[in-house]
Amino acid sequence: MRPVFKALAGVLASMTLAGGAQANIEFVFDYSRDGNGVMTNEMKALLEQAAGTIEASISDQLSAIAPQGDFAPSIFFTPPDTGTSSPAVNTIGANQIYVYVGGRSALGAPHLALSGAVRNATRPASVPANDPAFLAYRDELRSRGQPGAIASTPTDYSPWGGSLAFDSEASFYVDDDISTLESFEGQYDFYTVALRGLLGILGYGVGGAGTPVASYHANVDSENLTFVGANALAEYGEGVPVYYYYDAENDQEIVDERFLDDSVVSTVNGVAQTALMTQTLNTGERRALTALDYAILRDIGWQAAPVPEPAEYAMFLAGLGVLAAVARRRRA
């Protein structure tokens, strides 16, 4: 075993997550569609650290995506540099979540995460659409070994990956040491934005047009504008408000069920913090995943357990993120 892999294995083996589960998912980043040259090496390093933090808390196991005999995946994505549509890779390893990363202007927010859940299967014309082997292949492709993801009322989520675009016009604070916190007034904290973007890939706070992913939306009380998943209720004590804003000037109500209301506060290691996935992220602030964010991930279907963050564990997590970044298979 190469030294860095051995070091990473030792760190992960020493971590005790809820129920004794160990981290399994792996974000694989593809920068081939960063045609506008937005992602600097420093931004890539911070994205890798954010990925390491999330990977350490998710213990789901996803089956691989690949052609099989006469059948093959058919996956499309929105390139982060153009916003159009393009064929994606058709082979993704077990437990891997494949993310195209880049940037473009006029996103309307610091980032735009588009999670890839819809994937079809192709077959030869000689194979009927109701062929049992084809249907089994298609269902496995869509579920990735998570049956709840394709239930009539989904209780799980199993993306192949997706695309993550960062706004090329936004001013980002690119911290070279996330174990310390300096003032960065007027700038968005890139590490926080990266965390939010990756949670979007997992189906929590997905950007773009359309409704939330099904297993998230199933827990939204649209009448009372609250998220009412069992884990979130247990953590928050009541329905969690989703984003609502009344525009008095135009006499218009603005609702976005994909994000939490800006008033929602939870805790990180027992310390109060605005939930990571509120609709608005302000400049000059850094956030971590709160207990409520982890609870909502569980309600979406992820096996998620909090990893100690900030304060005395910040240095540990920074090191974990670096190790995960070096060990992770990357696509250039």
Side-chain angles (χ1 to χ4, degrees), residues 75-282:
I75 304 174
F76 284 79
F77 76 106
T78 301
D81 54 350
T82 64
T84 55
S85 180
S86 182
V89 295
N90 71 350
T91 300
I92 300 171
N95 300 328
Q96 291 183 342
I97 297 176
Y98 199 96
V99 185
Y100 291 91
V101 183
R104 63 183 187 274
S105 62
L107 290 179
H111 80 280
L112 177 63
L114 297 175
S115 184
V118 177
R119 47 195 175 270
N120 296 314
T122 61
R123 68 187 194 283
S126 59
V127 176
N130 62 352
D131 177 76
F134 172 71
L135 293 178
Y137 173 79
R138 185 197 63 186
D139 287 349
E140 179 64 18
L141 179 67
R142 293 176 175 176
S143 71
R144 299 199 69 182
Q146 306 290 324
I150 58 173
S152 55
T153 300
T155 58
D156 211 334
Y157 187 58
S158 56
W160 61 265
S163 66
L164 179 55
F166 295 96
D167 194 329
S168 61
E169 297 178 335
S171 178
F172 289 114
Y173 173 62
V174 182
D175 195 351
D176 60 359
D177 183 359
I178 63 171
S179 68
T180 62
L181 184 59
E182 302 77 29
S183 174
F184 47 93
E185 184 178 354
Q187 294 180 295
Y188 291 104
D189 180 46
F190 187 80
Y191 178 73
T192 301
V193 174
L195 285 175
R196 286 166 59 92
L198 293 176
L199 288 194
I201 298 297
L202 298 184
Y204 178 21
V206 180
T211 60
V213 301
S215 62
Y216 176 98
H217 190 256
N219 290 295
V220 174
D221 179 347
S222 296
E223 181 176 349
N224 294 304
L225 299 180
T226 53
F227 186 91
V228 292
N231 290 286
L233 287 174
E235 177 61 39
Y236 196 70
E238 60 183 351
V240 185
V242 297
Y243 182 71
Y244 172 86
Y245 172 72
Y246 175 65
D247 181 356
E249 183 177 348
N250 297 301
D251 189 25
Q252 181 181 12
E253 292 183 327
I254 300 173
V255 176
D256 191 342
E257 296 178 350
R258 299 167 298 181
F259 294 91
L260 304 183
D261 191 74
D262 292 341
S263 64
V264 174
V265 174
S266 182
T267 60
V268 178
N269 296 348
V271 179
Q273 181 204 278
T274 301
L276 177 62
M277 297 305 287
T278 59
Q279 204 273 350
T280 303
L281 175 68
N282 298 311

